[in-house]
Amino acid sequence: MSVFNNSEVTYFLLIGIPGLEYAHAWISIPIFLMYLIAIMGNCIITFVIKTEPSLHEPMYYFLTMLAVSDMGLSFSSLPTMLKIFFFNAMAISPNACFAQEFFIHGFTVMESSVLLIMSLDRFLAIHNPLRYSSILNGRRVAKIGLILAFRSTVLVLPFPFTLRKLKYCHKNLLSHSYCLHQDVMKLACSDNKINFIYGFFVALCTMLDFALILMSYVLILKTVLSIASLAERLKALNTCVSHICAVLIFYMPIITLAAIHRFAKHKSPLLVILIADMFLLAPPLMNPIVYCIKTRQIREKVLGKLGLK
């Protein structure tokens, strides 16, 4: 293990999949394909919404923000994931590690914020459809996007600086294939109380987003139940299906990992690593697929651009 001090850190060691190191070269192929499909899918979604005037509506603008967040997550974790599985290269410099965890946490907070705004968008569209377009006009949507980007940046900006100030003595083996704040923080031999408290605060902000999303759907359900026609109820709920899938894909790995760490007495390192990897791989991969399948307007325009209609 390398020896660390305050001003100079040699390297951290990332890990692949424990017990399957011999198969990393083969595992790298589906991982690379998943990244490729995720990046291409989100690029296509963004391009179609940008070039189709009929999709210049708040719902699709927010979907563009979600696609940008997904691409950010993909590009943030891509270098170390491919380096580990393609070349079996585990070492990463401290500065590169701190930069990676900043971008991963930043785009995670961004995605959580976008999912919250999308749930409020669905509530407004169902609760007050006549004023929906006037309330969420293009200028307000742009302001919301800037506020979300600012919130995400400000919340995670202290992470790399507080980690840089910690002293690392002997341990340098991380628990994942990419750098996370809580993972690096545990390796410090100096007082990391500030890092722990602030990291917990950022995690609470993310879970607050989830709580507000649940509250939005309670209000949506209340509004839908007040609609007299069964057909209109189903039509209103159908507009939320894609977003509900996106919320489940994003939050389920987070909640599962939290439950494992809190309640599992003998947790499997392999299971934890697989779920953590899926947390970064699944949303960018699945969100474009879900929205293409469940949103007719997106599906038709994408197929039209691909010449398959």
Side-chain angles (χ1 to χ4, degrees):
M1 295 293 179
S2 57
V3 179
F4 291 41
N5 58 50
N6 265 333
S7 59
E8 184 179 355
V9 176
T10 310
Y11 59 86
F12 293 116
L13 289 175
L14 300 166
I15 62 171
I17 300 179
L20 294 176
E21 289 84 1
Y22 63 92
H24 276 181
W26 292 105
I27 295 172
S28 67
I29 297 173
I31 288 178
F32 174 75
L33 290 176
M34 283 191 283
Y35 271 113
L36 184 63
I37 293 169
I39 293 169
M40 287 180 62
N42 285 291
C43 284
I44 290 171
I45 291 281
T46 305
F47 174 75
V48 168
I49 293 174
K50 184 180 185 330
T51 56
E52 286 293 336
S54 62
L55 298 181
H56 291 177
E57 297 178 7
M59 173 183 172
Y60 302 113
Y61 289 142
F62 293 133
L63 180 55
T64 302
M65 296 179 197
L66 185 68
V68 171
S69 301
D70 283 335
M71 284 190 285
L73 277 177
S74 295
F75 283 119
S76 298
S77 58
L78 180 65
T80 53
M81 292 281 279
L82 294 187
K83 189 173 73 167
I84 289 170
F85 290 104
F86 266 117
F87 307 108
N88 210 34
M90 308 297 184
I92 183 172
S93 70
N95 288 334
C97 187
F98 300 154
Q100 185 184 51
E101 61 86 24
F102 167 76
F103 285 110
I104 287 176
H105 287 294
F107 283 111
T108 299
V109 174
M110 179 72 178
E111 181 139 351
S112 175
S113 303
V114 172
L115 289 172
L116 170 60
I117 292 299
M118 291 176 82
S119 70
L120 298 176
D121 167 77
R122 290 299 83 212
F123 168 69
L124 186 60
I126 293 171
H127 182 71
N128 202 347
L130 297 179
R131 296 188 58 202
Y132 171 69
S133 298
S134 61
I135 294 174
L136 282 179
N137 54 43
R139 182 175 297 180
R140 283 179 180 159
V141 170
K143 286 181 180 178
I144 290 171
L146 290 174
I147 290 171
L148 296 185
F150 179 77
R151 175 191 186 239
S152 306
T153 304
V154 168
L155 270 178
V156 303
L157 188 59
F159 279 172
F161 298 104
T162 55
L163 288 176
R164 192 74 182 89
K165 290 183 178 180
L166 293 177
K167 183 178 180 180
Y168 304 92
C169 302
H170 301 290
K171 296 185 293 183
N172 67 346
L173 181 63
L174 297 170
S175 306
H176 300 290
S177 305
Y178 48 85
C179 294
L180 292 176
H181 175 261
Q182 63 270 26
D183 206 12
V184 177
M185 177 186 69
K186 291 177 181 178
L187 300 180
C189 57
S190 56
D191 184 16
N192 61 5
K193 187 180 295 183
I194 293 176
N195 288 267
F196 177 81
I197 293 172
Y198 190 73
F200 184 67
F201 168 73
V202 174
L204 279 181
C205 290
T206 304
M207 295 316 296
L208 177 62
D209 290 346
F210 181 62
L212 292 174
I213 290 170
L214 292 179
M215 189 180 299
S216 297
Y217 273 100
V218 170
L219 296 174
I220 287 171
L221 190 59
K222 183 179 178 182
T223 303
V224 167
L225 290 176
S226 67
I227 300 173
S229 168
L230 177 61
E232 290 298 319
R233 289 182 190 178
L234 295 176
K235 183 180 177 181
L237 287 175
N238 191 52
T239 64
C240 301
V241 172
S242 300
H243 179 258
I244 292 172
C245 291
V247 170
L248 292 175
I249 291 167
F250 180 76
Y251 281 104
M252 283 307 295
I254 298 176
I255 295 171
T256 303
L257 280 176
I260 289 174
H261 285 299
R262 177 65 182 86
F263 300 109
K265 294 181 180 180
H266 305 288
K267 54 179 180 275
S268 165
L270 176 60
L271 178 62
V272 171
I273 288 170
L274 289 176
I275 295 174
D277 287 346
M278 283 300 103
F279 164 65
L280 289 189
L281 283 169
L285 176 67
M286 295 304 299
N287 285 341
I289 296 173
V290 168
Y291 273 93
C292 282
I293 291 174
K294 296 301 298 179
T295 309
R296 178 180 55 81
Q297 294 88 337
I298 293 288
R299 182 174 65 251
E300 289 178 353
K301 298 302 181 183
V302 169
L303 292 176
K305 291 290 184 183
L306 296 175
L308 300 175
K309 186 174 180 181

